[in-house]
Amino acid sequence: MRRRAVVPLACGLACACACASGRYSVILRHGTVYDGGGGAPIVADVALAGDRIAAVGDLSAARADVDIDAAGMAVAPGFIDMLSHSEETLLVDGAAEGAIRQGVTLEVFGEGSMGPWNERMRREAVAQQSNLRYAVTWKTLGEYLAVLERRGIAPNVATLVGAGTVREHVLGRDNRAPSPAELDEMRRLVAQAIDEGALGLTTALIYPPDTYARTDELIALAREAAARGGIFTAHIRNEGNHIDRAVDELITIAREARIPVEMYHFKLAGRSNWGKLDAVVAQIEAARAAGLRVTADMYTYTAGATGLDAAMPPWAQEGGYAAWAQRLRDPAQRARVAAEMRDPDPGWDNLYALAGADGVRFIGFKNPALRRYLGKSLAEVAAERRTTPEDAAMDLVVEDGTRVEAVYFLMSEDNVRREIALPWMSFGCDAGAMTPRPPFTDNAVHPRAYGNFARLLGKYVRDEKVIPLAAAIARLTSLPAANLGLTDRGRLAPGAFADVVVFDPARIADAATYERPHQLSVGVAYVFVNGTAVLRAGEMTGATPGRIIRRRRP
């Protein structure tokens, strides 16, 4: 690897600061630089001036306020988490240590959103809080972002506005189509949220009330996002028995709304569906060849995590948690729910049937009396309670007052490797950024919260050589940045924002397991967010330079 000549900073404030003083704020010297484009790395220096990257090349004659020897280390753009659920965790602790220690500098919230909320939604949000407690002082998505910004956060944050959120705002949790006037109001709320900074529209089509939306409703809302340069992202309607139909719906939305689309946490769920990977990839690549912008992201594990709502039929959940719990107390309706849970193809994405009672493991309860079941499978809990797995699941939802959080073992390790190799695949942890201390440790979590990105770079890149390191870094940086329409992040280039990670490719690894999930990843030495160190020599600095990344109108 060779060093290259210095590339000067693009004109701007950072250039003026560096040139006027004759010094940069930081120089990372002698590192192996991966610029995010996917090409071969070079040994070079990287200079930061204020919040921007100032120069990349041979800076041996230059001086900086802070000099860091990065010899033997990889220097890369900060990683982008395409599906983060740190909406609540960052309100409790803005440090996001579990994410920062993996090199994540931008967390993108999706599937739903923290606004727009009406008064009923605000009350329910407070009522559903478990070990993470926070005040709800906002109604609009823009107001939530302002709260987060004032709180102080280490990583950057971006969000999309939830199609299900605006549906619930207008229709409640009713299973019906909106009237023309109601759809107009939903469209207005989408436009307002994007004007407040959302990067586009998002949905999670296996969960009520999102699942009640028909394709034409989603297209109408997606057109509002498209008109403002946004993206459409989706937990598709089915990831198992009918994944072909669900992918076709996503492609239809891309075509009819003329909008880029991203499929969340790409997977083939359930052993009987593992062999469908080639056909699904062919579906997506045919759409891409036809000119549609269809991409996906994934997490690097064979288990997902969600609630027991994904184990029960959507009709039972209409009207919200209180109505759901009431149905589960009714013997006739319980019998109907149990029968559908046992049905391997009930017409909805039945994760219980796909994983089996042995493949559902509990990680979160609100009720302290139920936390003795953390780490146990549904089959084990049912045996302990001397009841059926279906009855145990229904009883736990009623007793906990929530949907109950669980891990579902659904995927094939071979498929995970093949999916990582897809050139249009980026990565998202589908979890909140955690810190290994209370209140986060009051419950278990999926290990992806602490290890998704380190696992990619350690297990799959270094150890198993599924893809080269340069390609993996591009999928963590420039690819998601391009998908989101961000032109000044995701690359190590002069003038770009100085989101930078320095890590040891020989050492980076995940440590979190299903049995011991609250374990920090290792191997990342430095992380800069907007030019400020949030991780220095392997230690958190306490700095909170994170910003809200907002949509710019085209």
Side-chain angles (χ1 to χ4, degrees), residues 70-152:
M73 307 288 276
V75 181
F79 304 150
I80 298 174
D81 184 343
M82 275 296 284
L83 179 54
S84 164
H85 284 303
S86 297
E87 299 98 325
E88 296 178 291
T89 61
L90 286 173
L91 289 170
V92 177
D93 182 355
E97 184 172 3
I100 293 295
R101 286 186 177 274
Q102 296 181 77
V104 173
T105 59
L106 172 55
E107 301 197 45
V108 185
F109 302 158
E111 292 191 299
S113 60
M114 299 292 273
W117 286 353
N118 56 32
E119 193 57 40
R120 177 187 53 78
M121 295 167 75
R122 293 172 66 187
R123 289 195 303 269
E124 289 182 358
V126 173
Q128 289 292 300
Q129 289 176 14
S130 179
N131 55 315
L132 302 184
R133 313 293 296 183
Y134 53 90
V136 177
T137 60
W138 65 88
K139 289 185 178 179
T140 71
L141 187 56
E143 289 169 352
Y144 163 76
L145 294 175
V147 168
L148 203 59
E149 211 161 23
R150 288 194 301 270
R151 188 251 177 269

Side-chain angles (χ1 to χ4, degrees), residues 1-5 30-33 40-45 56-58:
M1 290 177 284
R2 60 184 175 83
R3 294 169 70 86
R4 68 180 179 190
H30 317 305
T32 303
V33 176
I42 61 168
V43 174
D45 309 319
V56 179
D58 185 353

Side-chain angles (χ1 to χ4, degrees), residues 1 28-34 41-46 68-76 469 473 492 501-508 522-527 535 537-538:
M1 290 177 284
L28 303 166
R29 298 190 185 276
H30 317 305
T32 303
V33 176
Y34 295 80
I42 61 168
V43 174
D45 309 319
V46 177
I68 296 170
D69 184 1
M73 307 288 276
V75 181
L469 181 56
I473 289 173
L492 286 186
V501 56
V502 180
F503 67 95
D504 184 349
R507 185 168 169 263
I508 192 167
V522 299
V524 175
Y526 293 86
V527 176
L535 187 73

Side-chain angles (χ1 to χ4, degrees), residues 20-60:
S21 66
R23 298 172 68 93
Y24 298 108
S25 51
V26 178
I27 297 180
L28 303 166
R29 298 190 185 276
H30 317 305
T32 303
V33 176
Y34 295 80
D35 69 3
I42 61 168
V43 174
D45 309 319
V46 177
L48 314 184
D51 64 356
R52 301 278 180 160
I53 295 168
V56 179
D58 185 353
L59 300 173
S60 53

